[in-house]
Amino acid sequence: MDLNEYQGKQLFKQFGIPVSDGRLAHTPAEARAAAEEIGGQVVVKAQVLTGGRGKAGGVKLAEDPDDAEQKAKDILGLDINGHVVEKLWIEKASDIAKEYYLSITFDRGAKKPLFMFTTQGGVEIEEVAENNPDALVRLHVDALEGYQPWVARRLVYGAGVEDPSEQKQISAIIGQLYRCFVECDAMLTEINPLIVTPDGEVKALDSKFTVDDSALYRHPDIAEFRDAGAADPLEALAREKGVTYVKLDGSVGILGNGAGLSMSTVDVVVVAGGKPANFCDLGGGGNAQGVVDALEVITKDEQVKSIFFNIFGGITRCDEVARGILEALERLQLTVPIVVRLDGTNAEEGRKILAEAAAANLYVEPTMLDAATRAVELAA
Amino acid sequence: MDLNEYQGKQLFKQFGIPVSDGRLAHTPAEARAAAEEIGGQVVVKAQVLTGGRGKAGGVKLAEDPDDAEQKAKDILGLDINGHVVEKLWIEKASDIAKEYYLSITFDRGAKKPLFMFTTQGGVEIEEVAENNPDALVRLHVDALEGYQPWVARRLVYGAGVEDPSEQKQISAIIGQLYRCFVECDAMLTEINPLIVTPDGEVKALDSKFTVDDSALYRHPDIAEFRDAGAADPLEALAREKGVTYVKLDGSVGILGNGAGLSMSTVDVVVVAGGKPANFCDLGGGGNAQGVVDALEVITKDEQVKSIFFNIFGGITRCDEVARGILEALERLQLTVPIVVRLDGTNAEEGRKILAEAAAANLYVEPTMLDAATRAVELAA
Amino acid sequence: MAIIVDNDTKLVVSGLTGSEGRFHGLRNRAYGTNLVAGVTPGKGGQDVEGVPVFNTVSDAVGEAGANTSMVFVPARFAPDAIYEAVDAGITTVICITEHIPAHEMLRVYTYVRTKGVTLIGPNCPGVLSPGKANVGIIPAEVFKPGSIGLVSRSGTLTYQIGNELAQRGLGNSTIVGIGGDPVVGSSFIDVLEKFEADEETTTVVLVGEIGGDEEEKAATWISDHMSKPVFSYIAGFSAPPGKTMGHAGAIISGSSGTAVAKKEALEAVGVKVGTTPTEVAELVIAAAG
Amino acid sequence: MAIIVDNDTKLVVSGLTGSEGRFHGLRNRAYGTNLVAGVTPGKGGQDVEGVPVFNTVSDAVGEAGANTSMVFVPARFAPDAIYEAVDAGITTVICITEHIPAHEMLRVYTYVRTKGVTLIGPNCPGVLSPGKANVGIIPAEVFKPGSIGLVSRSGTLTYQIGNELAQRGLGNSTIVGIGGDPVVGSSFIDVLEKFEADEETTTVVLVGEIGGDEEEKAATWISDHMSKPVFSYIAGFSAPPGKTMGHAGAIISGSSGTAVAKKEALEAVGVKVGTTPTEVAELVIAAAG
């Protein structure tokens, strides 16, 4: 789960990482009130889960409460890469002498947390990695050794931070960020920029924060950060129903069991000349209710002209799936053609159940490729 | 550092391990007041750093405050294995249905913490280990894996605890004791007996607790537990001066640098026919002040008739030691004969310094064996 | 021979008394797997259709000779079950459980690696050596014995490929689902290494998917160490960048981790890559024929 | 050859700019040890009598080619310095620092073991290969080159034994002080194993002391694996039970860990044990003669 800037900063603060004083605002009036409380210049920042806010006009400096209200009016409702701005973070403006970059990524390849630190902050880190790789210090931490103070020294000296006070502050932040990363079950924590003010104070001016969905059960406070409004409405419905769903742009609705097979199903529809309307994974279980829920989500998309339902049973049993399809047909009054392919555990029983039901909009095909071809024809 | 029962229980309580309500008392009057506050039957327990308190009459049941006062009178001042009772722990009496045993030792051989658990508690664990080894479950924990819940299951099921409520309570205590062991830098934490009351409640009725001296700097609260009154007065003086000193029973005072060489010096004095008065290790440094302090401690023992000062310089420099000896002679006005053997770093300079001083009670010998023989002669 | 599970496998199932553990454990036994024990704390002494249940894995090892563990307990108990198995002397652990927090698996993984234990999963369908043993949830009836090693990050996709091969008369030495979580006990390379050493395996099919760089690393390893022919299928050619497709593995960030990049990396070292499950099966047939 | 340190040693000293680190580091260099670097955070770029100082061990490895680290920093920074050295690719770490908390060393030890690094100490006098290299605080002038391997839990006692041998004309291949703390990086057995494999070592003297069971374990190992003659000295025959004699190792609990028990265990496997340092030297001479 990705967190908004203000949420990540809240966690940073809990772990002792210095951030600026700020308030959340949903309306221009709230923005004004926040600016009054904070005092002086403030920055009005769109809270959306996408990059490039600055370029899109989502981050503005305001001189006073009046100005903050005006800037809030400008920014609220903006569409930034498909994300409509509904929340603002009003934060005390900082003077910036230097911009650094600090992050920890859960490195799946190395199977270790990966620190990245550079004094060349404030830009995309990929740019630094490409144009000035020597300026970027990369350092893995062993999960059993855990964080040790030498890690901070390698990063700080390695990146060439020379001021002793900066060294000390940044070393402390490095340790705090690691604790935050581990204790919040983060997959990514990024501070860009990590600024040094003209007074020599180091603080986090932005936050990028991704938390492991599988660990949310033990972080109820973080789980509450979930931003229901921020997702595509269909994806939000899917999440509510516990269905893994990604909206695509075509006309063939796709439902498979397992991420790999579902992805492959999307590919095969493309190979068969069709355009997938979505990616939808029934997951491991695949009981009747799950099937009904998934079909409800998929058919809410008006672009869908046919559905390819591709099941290879393992832990999922095909007879259960077949019953789910029949139940969905009845409960959702579905008329869109559904092409079904069943294989694996109890496939024969499943096919028999569907054959006996003899629904007019139900097509059972023997292979994945046949089924894809039929679904593409029916969507045309 | 060994902790008294009441100190260990205080730590147990901090980590959630159930213990009985109790109060510390230094006088019979305090014991009475404690018994009044606690109410009902209490147990009056001598707080001394030695085993066998029960057999020595140091643990008594008291029916009421009057009785508690009387029992306190009986126990205070008792000499238990050379330890005079100066403190009592007055504790609510517990009904005991079962007595178990649980401990964690820092196993130096395996280099892992070692759990031991048995339902045959209340007696010396060595007895159980010898007479009923199958009843004793031993289990190591990997320091990097850390404590995991399966450890408690192995112990509890392995020892044959059958009551589900007991299993649950003991499993919790096992986890808490491990946290206590690690977070207090303990070398030993032992609960014997771990009792089950007739109501099925599990709690720690005693505690044995040893903390790593090297880690005391990060446990100021535990360091304060140090029981200055409990040690031999000479050993207490030695500790105060930062000298490692163990009182023995003979007439040849011994001072060496390094534990191994000092022990060997004790042995060699015995081989030469003498009786060592002490073990004393100057430690790694061995500056002049250290020498003075060590000689002050050793000569406080009136049994000492001669001193064997055995130095093999490494990090310790013999010239420094020689200067320390001369300083001690002057400052402490020592008249007891001191046999000195110097070798290693700057030995020649050291010998020269001593030769030039030409003190009447100073004997410089070339080898350890020669020096031992001379010291034994001088003590005769 | 085969790899990871075979006729020498003596299986203990952690969670055998749960409904899923029971269903699949007994199904594995019905296939011929030597299921010697189950473990459920507090149920020691009971049995599941004749399979003795113990309180601890240690008892299952000591009393039933278990050498392989299948973990089928809920996510919050699974890391403990893996540690328990490893410390009880089990040498192969197959963890089916999904949704284990990544940080916890990271510690488990790092620990297990120091012990020389083979860990497959978590969040994986298990391992099947057709005709010998099945440990996990792979529908064994789809596969038949043969000489093609199959390794995959995905469960159902593996069945699909196996099915396509079986329909063309080809069988498998072992099918390994390594799982799609951020941290899995065995990588493609770990399994390729075993297939390379396995006498019974003549050909390997590697089933990858978008996200990460495991397929790219596997390509390098294949180029450096593999003498046997490798074929591959990659899922997600049509996936849009920046979207998570189901499990944590299936996300493309920027230009790295795309199906096309993986295909190119594999083809560069001589691995033939199919763009549909059918195509990869046909490539294997063509090479065999 | 010799073991642990020799002419190939390229030493970096953590804490070279401290007074003790400087004194002994330079003394080691004066003996002939190839001291290539010091490490003190914040003092990178300075030098200590020509020895370059770096901010991190990683820099000392990268820029000065260090392969061996001597840790001379205070106890509360020493574990970090060991981790730093190991993760920077140093393969031999010799930790002189005393008073490191045992639990912390336990984690360091367990980690270091998985990395295949040789750790000597903490709370040890170091390692000296006479005529080749000296890393630590052993007074090298006491020892001369030869073929006797010497391993000991105690510092000064080692010098005493070495002195007794040298006075009788015998020299050493390597002298290893393993340290007397509850957790030391290398045990007697670890060092015996190296001596057994070392061509230059013909005889080994093991200097033990009361407490623990390391000498007993060493006896078993000697019996099973050692082809070279071993002699031993044990300190503490006259020590009373239940008293800690200086360092944590030297405590006898009950009947185990006594000098007599250790002597018997060693003699039972053919190791000749002296009761004074002089006697052990004479035993070695007698066998050599």
Side-chain angles (χ1 to χ4, degrees), chain B residues 145 148-150 153-154 157, chain C residues 42 55 58 80 84 87 111:
Chain B
E145 178 185 331
Q148 303 294 337
W150 67 264
R153 297 197 297 271
R154 280 274 286 272
Y157 291 114
Chain C
N55 288 316
S58 175
D80 183 43
E84 182 184 7
D87 288 334
Y111 178 72

Side-chain angles (χ1 to χ4, degrees), chain B residues 1-9 11 47-51 83 87 185-190 207-213 216 222-228 230-231 235 239, chain D residues 242-244 251:
Chain B
M1 182 174 97
D2 294 331
L3 305 189
N4 281 301
E5 173 196 3
Y6 78 95
Q7 297 164 331
K9 280 184 171 170
L11 296 175
Q47 298 299 295
V48 281
L49 294 175
T50 182
H83 296 253
K87 290 190 292 188
D185 279 296
M187 302 306 284
L188 167 72
T189 56
E190 184 186 271
S207 96
K208 207 166 155 189
F209 209 117
T210 307
V211 177
D212 179 9
D213 286 328
L216 283 177
I222 298 177
E224 276 185 12
F225 284 156
R226 174 86 68 191
D227 211 346
E235 292 185 7
R239 177 171 294 130
Chain D
K243 290 277 190 180
T244 302
I251 186 168

Side-chain angles (χ1 to χ4, degrees), chain A residues 112 142 144-145 148-151 153-154 157-158 167, chain D residues 41-42 55-56 58 80-81 83-84 87-88 111 115:
Chain A
K112 288 179 175 180
D142 183 280
L144 293 184
E145 177 186 332
Q148 304 294 338
W150 66 264
V151 170
R153 297 197 296 272
R154 281 274 287 272
Y157 290 113
Q167 289 175 347
Chain D
N55 288 315
T56 66
S58 175
D80 183 43
Y83 283 124
E84 181 183 8
D87 288 333
Y111 178 71
K115 299 288 159 181

Side-chain angles (χ1 to χ4, degrees), chain B residues 108-337:
Chain B
R108 304 159 57 111
K111 299 200 175 74
K112 288 177 176 182
L114 171 66
F115 269 104
M116 288 197 276
F117 179 62
T118 175
T119 56
Q120 314 291 305
V123 297
E124 290 289 310
I125 195 62
E126 288 78 6
E127 265 178 55
V128 181
E130 194 160 328
N131 302 330
N132 198 359
D134 286 351
L136 181 64
V137 189
R138 300 162 55 95
L139 188 61
H140 283 109
V141 174
D142 183 279
L144 293 184
E145 178 185 331
Y147 175 80
Q148 303 294 337
W150 67 264
V151 169
R153 297 197 297 271
R154 280 274 286 272
L155 293 169
V156 166
Y157 291 114
V161 175
E162 298 201 335
D163 180 82
S165 160
E166 278 181 33
Q167 289 174 347
K168 203 175 150 189
Q169 292 176 72
I170 296 171
S171 293
I173 291 172
I174 288 170
Q176 288 152 342
L177 190 65
Y178 189 83
R179 261 193 57 218
C180 178
F181 177 77
V182 172
E183 293 185 18
C184 295
D185 279 296
M187 302 306 284
L188 167 72
T189 56
E190 184 186 271
I191 306 177
N192 189 21
L194 178 71
I195 62 157
V196 186
T197 67
D199 299 342
E201 195 194 340
V202 180
K203 60 183 173 182
L205 209 64
D206 198 354
S207 96
K208 207 166 155 189
F209 209 117
T210 307
V211 177
D212 179 9
D213 286 328
S214 294
L216 283 177
Y217 79 86
R218 52 185 184 191
H219 302 287
D221 49 331
I222 298 177
E224 276 185 12
F225 284 156
R226 174 86 68 191
D227 211 346
D232 176 281
L234 271 181
E235 292 185 7
L237 173 67
R239 177 171 294 130
E240 196 184 293
K241 298 268 182 191
V243 172
T244 307
Y245 175 91
V246 178
K247 175 89 182 75
L248 301 173
D249 243 359
S251 55
V252 182
I254 284 165
L255 178 51
N257 66 321
L261 184 64
S262 303
M263 264 192 287
S264 179
T265 308
V266 171
D267 289 348
V268 170
V269 165
V270 172
V271 167
K275 286 198 168 163
N278 64 272
F279 161 95
C280 186
D281 174 9
L282 199 55
N287 56 17
Q289 185 58 45
V291 173
V292 175
D293 289 342
L295 284 172
E296 183 180 348
V297 171
I298 291 171
T299 52
K300 274 250 159 50
D301 177 0
E302 290 175 2
Q303 284 186 271
V304 168
K305 299 290 177 261
S306 73
I307 293 173
F308 175 8
F309 199 154
N310 188 18
I311 295 295
F312 210 118
I315 202 164
T316 301
R317 298 170 215 171
C318 291
D319 51 337
E320 280 241 37
V321 169
R323 277 184 214 103
I325 293 173
L326 297 182
E327 201 176 320
L329 282 183
E330 201 186 301
R331 275 169 50 189
L332 305 173
Q333 297 287 321
L334 297 181
T335 53
V336 62

Side-chain angles (χ1 to χ4, degrees), chain A residues 251-252 254 263-276 306 308 339 365 367-380, chain C residues 233 237-238 275-279:
Chain A
S251 55
V252 182
I254 284 165
M263 264 192 285
S264 178
T265 309
V266 170
D267 289 348
V268 170
V269 165
V270 172
V271 168
K275 287 198 166 163
S306 72
F308 175 8
V339 184
E365 293 288 345
T367 75
M368 187 165 159
L369 212 51
D370 291 341
T373 307
R374 170 65 66 103
V376 172
E377 284 168 17
L378 289 165
Chain C
Y233 170 71
F237 279 95
S238 320
T275 47
T276 65
T278 311
E279 193 186 344

